[in-house]
Amino acid sequence: MATSSRLVRTSFSPCPKSWRSHCHRTASLSTLSLPILLRPSLGILPSSRGAAVAGCRGYMEIRSMCSSSSTFGARLEEAVKKTVAENPVVIYSKTWCSYSMEVKALFKRMGVDAHVIELDQLGSQGPQLQKVLERLTGQFTVPNVFIGGKHIGGCTDTVKLWHDGKLAPMLSELNISQH
């Protein structure tokens, strides 16, 4: 049987309730494009019904949730791109993070009005937005700083630009007022 490299075989008999939610989560995080049917004896077969998790008597059907979750992820990604494009200085931050506080204080001392998004105040969207930022920038930590639509990095990168005398000219080139 031809399989993709991301296909995972499983062999379990009737699954208890605790497995149903695990299997549903696993399916929703997968990148499968077709619904699948897990059968202990035959491996994984295409399914046409597509129910999220149906009867678990040796068979478990799981529908890939990637279409709705990827749409949500795409919307978050577009929101990040729009925010970064519309604001000269954007800082994705967390209120309790000392590195975020340092970067926000630096821009405040420079007289720069940065657009700050506090991820820890966004509820369940905060961690999702942080994952989108990681996908876009390769950086999972905060602060995540953008100047003129370009990602410049985190606290260390921003402070280094300032120490090297490169941050002020970068802001001036973009007509970002500072004092």
Side-chain angles (χ1 to χ4, degrees):
M1 166 176 22
T3 60
S4 74
S5 61
R6 305 198 103 222
L7 201 55
V8 177
R9 292 185 185 273
T10 185
S11 60
F12 51 35
S13 55
C15 63
K17 271 188 176 179
S18 63
W19 268 93
R20 289 182 195 161
S21 65
H22 168 75
C23 295
H24 183 70
R25 276 194 314 271
T26 303
S28 66
L29 297 175
S30 72
T31 57
L32 299 170
S33 59
L34 295 172
I36 58 171
L37 180 64
L38 300 178
R39 296 181 63 182
S41 58
L42 299 176
I44 301 175
L45 301 174
S47 168
S48 59
R49 293 195 325 249
V53 176
C56 245
R57 297 192 198 309
Y59 300 88
M60 179 172 30
E61 192 172 316
I62 302 173
R63 176 180 51 196
S64 170
M65 304 298 280
C66 64
S67 60
S68 63
S69 63
S70 66
T71 301
F72 180 71
R75 284 189 303 229
L76 277 179
E77 188 172 317
E78 288 306 311
V80 167
K81 289 177 181 178
K82 182 178 180 194
T83 300
V84 167
E86 292 176 352
N87 298 281
V89 178
V90 179
I91 304 170
Y92 288 91
S93 169
K94 291 186 180 175
T95 56
W96 52 264
C97 174
S98 61
Y99 297 109
S100 295
M101 288 181 222
E102 185 176 345
V103 167
K104 291 182 282 190
L106 172 63
F107 281 109
K108 187 174 184 174
R109 281 194 312 273
M110 294 178 75
V112 174
D113 186 25
H115 182 75
V116 178
I117 297 148
E118 300 290 1
L119 297 175
D120 60 330
Q121 294 182 340
L122 296 177
S124 64
Q125 275 192 345
Q128 294 165 337
L129 192 52
Q130 194 164 3
K131 287 178 185 174
V132 168
L133 286 166
E134 181 182 22
R135 198 169 52 243
L136 291 172
T137 67
Q139 176 185 322
F140 184 73
T141 58
V142 292
N144 213 322
V145 183
F146 294 83
I147 297 178
K150 295 172 111 180
H151 180 251
I152 63 163
C155 179
T156 303
D157 302 309
T158 306
V159 171
K160 183 173 179 2
L161 284 173
W162 180 71
H163 277 294
D164 292 347
K166 296 178 181 177
L167 187 59
M170 183 185 292
L171 297 169
S172 293
E173 283 178 20
L174 298 167
N175 295 323
I176 299 171
S177 64
Q178 48 188 309
H179 63 264

